Amino acid sequence: MVVLDYGSGNLRSAERALVRVGADVTVTADLAAARDADGLVVPGVGAYAACMAGIDALGAGEVVRARVAAGRPVLGICVGMQVLYELGEEHGVRTPGIGVLAGEVRRLAAPILPHMGWNTVRPPADSVLFAGLAGDTRFYFVHSYAAKADPSAGDTVGEHGEPFAAAVERGALAATQFHPEKSGDAGAHLLTNWLATLT
């Protein structure tokens, strides 16, 4: 499995969390390795535009799109989830994303930002990522921006000021707005569920 290194910040914590649940992990900017891996993790912290600049400089967007089109596993985490959408808007700047998910990432309409700390989520009944986790399980969030949830598409819904997409599952494409690598046993359980989908 590859954790994509495009200059974002939480590479090592993602690597450690995946190793903890038994994954064989390489952190690399090598696009051939990212293309051929059994699973690709796209991490991300900070600003949407900065993350997309790193992805564009590396040429990694096309690798992600090709993997998704071929039904090969991709997991986005935090801003690594956000950049999978068509567009991100921060401080009036609109930045095109990788575009494998429909929709835009925008500032949450909430009285307190960032949304930081532990929160529950509402996954669909047939969720693979959340299988075996209790409904009151909490995950760790740090974000001020998010995509609108689409429950009809099977999105997991979070709430902070307004509903937002806390996780998405679209076949081999999965992503979480929260940080599974900072979510203790619950995050480890979710990552184990994702690893089980890799073939």
Side-chain angles (χ1 to χ4, degrees):
M1 166 184 318
V2 162
V3 174
L4 183 66
D5 181 1
Y6 62 90
S8 181
N10 62 338
L11 300 171
R12 297 304 170 187
S13 59
E15 177 189 25
R16 285 192 299 271
L18 288 158
V19 168
R20 175 187 170 195
V21 297
D24 181 10
V25 184
T26 301
V27 177
T28 183
D30 184 327
L31 295 184
R35 189 177 297 110
D36 297 339
D38 55 354
L40 176 64
V41 177
V42 182
V45 294
Y48 187 107
C51 285
M52 275 310 304
I55 288 168
D56 289 342
L58 191 60
E62 189 49 50
V63 172
V64 174
R65 286 188 286 269
R67 287 187 65 97
V68 171
R72 307 201 58 220
V74 174
L75 175 66
I77 297 175
C78 195
V79 183
M81 169 177 170
Q82 294 178 4
V83 295
L84 298 174
Y85 285 88
E86 294 167 309
L87 192 76
E89 183 176 306
E90 290 183 356
H91 309 298
V93 177
R94 294 167 64 83
T95 304
I98 294 172
V100 292
L101 291 171
E104 299 185 7
V105 173
R106 296 189 174 185
R107 186 177 175 89
L108 287 168
I112 297 173
L113 289 173
H115 173 211
M116 181 182 295
W118 298 85
N119 206 343
T120 57
V121 299
R122 299 192 303 276
D126 62 351
S127 169
V128 172
L129 289 180
F130 295 90
L133 287 164
D136 61 351
T137 300
R138 293 179 177 273
F139 297 90
Y140 190 78
F141 289 86
V142 184
H143 65 119
S144 297
Y145 297 82
K148 185 176 180 180
D150 183 0
S152 68
D155 287 358
T156 292
V157 180
E159 185 110 20
H160 183 72
E162 63 177 322
F164 64 89
V168 297
E169 299 173 67
R170 305 276 197 283
L173 176 63
T176 64
Q177 178 59 69
F178 55 84
H179 287 277
E181 77 281 8
K182 296 179 182 178
S183 296
D185 290 344
H189 186 111
L190 182 141
L191 290 174
T192 299
N193 285 347
W194 182 70
L195 282 180
T197 70
L198 306 188
T199 53

